[in-house]
Amino acid sequence: MAVLVTGGTGFIGSHTVVELIEDGREVVILDNLCNSKECVLDRIEKITGKRPAFRKVDLLDLEGVRAVFREFPQIDSVIHFAGLKAVGESVAKPMLYYHNNITGTLNLCHAMEEAGVKRIVFSSSATVYGKPDSVPIREDFPLRTTNPYGETKLMIERILSDITVAYPDWSVSVLRYFNPIGAHVSGHIGEDPKGIPNNLLPYITKVAGGKLPCLSVYGNDYNTHDGTGVRDYIHVVDLAKAHLCALDRAAKVKGIEHFNIGTGNGYSVLDIVAAYEKATGIKINYKIVDRRPGDIDECYADPAKAKELLGWEAQYGIERMCEDSARWQKQNPDGYGE
Ligand code: WQD
C-alpha cells in the first residue's frame, strides 16, 4: 500500500517523506512546485537510497488529481501538506489563499472519495488558536484565527470534520504544528524559503551565513521573561515522525482527532539567538525594532494528548535544532539553488 503526500517536496513534506521511506513505506508525492524544487527528490534519494514517485500536479486541477489516484491504485492514505502558508501574504491576497487552500483540499477529498481512500493526516497549525487566554495550549482551547491563512486551516479542519460525519468510515488526523525548525542531520534537506525569510530561524541562518546583515527582533515589550516573543520550536524531524504515528493511529480509529504537535517548551527570540550562537560559535547581529502586527506574546503546546494517543513526543532540544539548521545552511548557502 502507498501513502500519497501532497506538498511532499516542501520543507515538512520532504522530511516526512524521508521518514516514511526509511520506515519501509511506499510514497507517491503530488506537488505543483510553486514553493519547492524538483531537485528535492534527488536529496531524498541521496538520504534514503530510494526515489519516491512524483507527479507535478496542482490540487486545483481535479482531473490531474484523479489521474494520480488512477495511476497508483495502491494509495490507501494521504498526508496533506500542500497549501500556501505565508501569513502576511494571506492578508494581502485572501482570495488567492481561500481558493488555493480550500478548493485544493476539496478536490483532494473528492478524488479520495471516488478512489475509496478514507484515511488522511492534515497539516494544520497552532495559528488556529489565535492569541490564547493562557499557555500551554490544549486541543480543547477556543479556536479563533487572526488571518486568512489561519482561517483556511480552520475551515479545512471543519470540512474534514463534516466529512467524517457524512462518511463515518473515514479516519482523519489533524496535526496542529507549532514552530517547525531545523533540518535533517545529513544537511541534504532543509528549509528554503523564497526571498527574505518571514520566519525567525531561516532569517537567523541567513544572518549567520552572511546573506543578511542583521536580525530585526520584533519587539521586546511582550509579557515574557525577556520581553521578546515566546514560541514552541519543534525539530522538523520530530514533527515528521508525528505524521507516521498519526497515520498508524488513523488506521485503527475512525472519525476525526486533533493533536498539538509541539515540545511543550517555550523559547523567546533572544533564547533562540543565544542557542544558535552557542551551537555554531557565530555571533548573530540583531537590533530591537517595533512589534510585527499580529504577533502574540506566548504560544506553546501541551503535547500530552499526542503522547497518550499517538505514542509520540519530541526527542530533540533547541541546541540540536540550531545545529541542524546551521549544517543545512553551511552545506547549502543558497538553499536548493536555481
Ligand atoms: C517567531 C518569533 C516573531 C522573524 C508563523 C505562522 C505559523 C507557522 C509558523 C505556518 C515571533 C519573531 C520572527 C524575525 C523576529 N507557519 N521574529 N524577527 O509568527 O510564531 O508563526 O510561522 O504554519 O502559522 O504564524 O513564527 O518564525 O515568524 O516568528 O523577531 O525576523 O520570532 O515576532 O515572536 P510565528 P515566526
Side-chain angles (χ1 to χ4, degrees):
M1 304 312 276
V3 186
L4 176 70
V5 181
T6 76
T9 55
F11 173 42
I12 304 166
S14 57
H15 284 82
T16 303
V17 167
V18 165
E19 296 305 319
L20 287 165
I21 292 173
E22 293 193 335
D23 194 54
R25 307 188 201 210
E26 182 185 355
V27 172
V28 178
I29 294 176
L30 180 158
D31 203 304
N32 68 0
L33 301 179
C34 77
N35 194 26
S36 59
K37 295 190 175 73
E38 194 165 349
C39 67
V40 170
L41 299 172
D42 302 327
R43 304 296 185 92
I44 292 171
E45 186 173 15
K46 192 170 186 176
I47 295 170
T48 66
K50 291 188 178 175
R51 189 182 189 84
F54 166 72
R55 294 294 178 267
K56 186 184 180 216
V57 171
D58 191 319
L59 286 177
L60 295 178
D61 168 15
L62 177 55
E63 283 313 310
V65 180
R66 283 171 167 151
V68 174
F69 281 94
R70 281 197 301 270
E71 182 182 359
F72 298 94
Q74 66 271 38
I75 292 170
D76 69 341
S77 57
V78 175
I79 301 179
H80 179 30
F81 293 105
L84 297 174
K85 67 167 187 106
V87 170
E89 184 183 51
S90 79
V91 174
K93 301 177 181 175
M95 291 185 286
L96 171 68
Y97 269 67
Y98 286 117
H99 181 50
N100 185 79
N101 292 1
I102 305 299
T103 308
T105 301
L106 287 172
N107 284 347
L108 174 64
C109 291
H110 272 304
M112 285 176 65
E113 183 197 10
E114 291 165 353
V117 178
K118 302 172 181 180
R119 187 166 30 132
I120 181 170
V121 176
F122 173 57
S123 165
S124 190
S125 169
T127 201
V128 300
Y129 296 112
K131 182 177 174 60
D133 295 328
S134 63
V135 283
I137 299 172
R138 290 192 318 276
E139 288 83 356
D140 62 355
F141 271 30
L143 303 176
R144 47 196 176 194
T145 59
T146 57
N147 56 73
Y149 158 74
E151 189 60 26
T152 67
K153 290 297 186 182
L154 188 50
M155 283 180 174
I156 292 168
E157 288 193 10
R158 288 175 171 149
I159 288 166
L160 293 170
S161 177
D162 290 343
I163 287 174
T164 60
V165 172
Y167 303 114
D169 57 347
W170 276 50
S171 300
V172 176
S173 186
V174 173
L175 302 188
R176 292 170 179 163
Y177 308 160
F178 282 70
N179 289 60
I181 63 171
H184 190 266
V185 66
S186 65
H188 296 321
I189 54 176
E191 190 168 9
D192 184 23
K194 280 181 178 174
I196 304 293
N198 294 310
N199 295 139
L200 179 65
L201 232 294
Y203 201 104
I204 287 177
T205 60
K206 295 284 185 196
V207 171
K211 297 286 185 183
L212 290 169
C214 178
L215 169 70
S216 295
V217 175
Y218 296 142
N220 66 349
D221 58 350
Y222 286 103
N223 183 21
T224 65
H225 66 276
D226 64 10
T228 63
V230 168
R231 298 291 184 274
D232 185 334
Y233 297 94
I234 176 171
H235 198 295
V236 64
V237 173
D238 273 330
L239 177 57
K241 289 178 175 175
H243 291 76
L244 277 69
C245 297
L247 213 48
D248 293 343
R249 175 156 173 95
K252 297 174 229 163
V253 174
K254 301 299 183 190
I256 189 167
E257 293 184 308
H258 306 81
F259 299 98
N260 286 344
I261 304 300
T263 66
N265 302 312
Y267 289 96
S268 74
V269 177
L270 295 183
D271 289 337
I272 297 296
V273 169
Y276 197 91
E277 290 179 335
K278 182 179 177 188
T280 63
I282 301 170
K283 180 89 176 76
I284 301 297
N285 295 321
Y286 70 84
K287 62 186 176 187
I288 305 293
V289 299
D290 291 339
R291 291 185 176 194
R292 178 173 64 177
D295 275 359
I296 60 177
D297 301 62
E298 280 193 302
C299 177
Y300 57 90
D302 175 347
K305 185 177 176 186
K307 181 174 183 179
E308 180 193 353
L309 298 185
L310 297 182
W312 171 92
E313 65 181 327
Q315 300 300 311
Y316 297 126
I318 209 68
E319 296 75 17
R320 176 66 184 271
M321 295 181 215
C322 291
E323 285 165 10
D324 292 347
S325 285
R327 186 180 306 105
W328 155 253
Q329 168 66 28
K330 188 173 182 182
Q331 290 180 195
N332 306 273
D334 296 314
Y336 292 113
E338 291 311 312

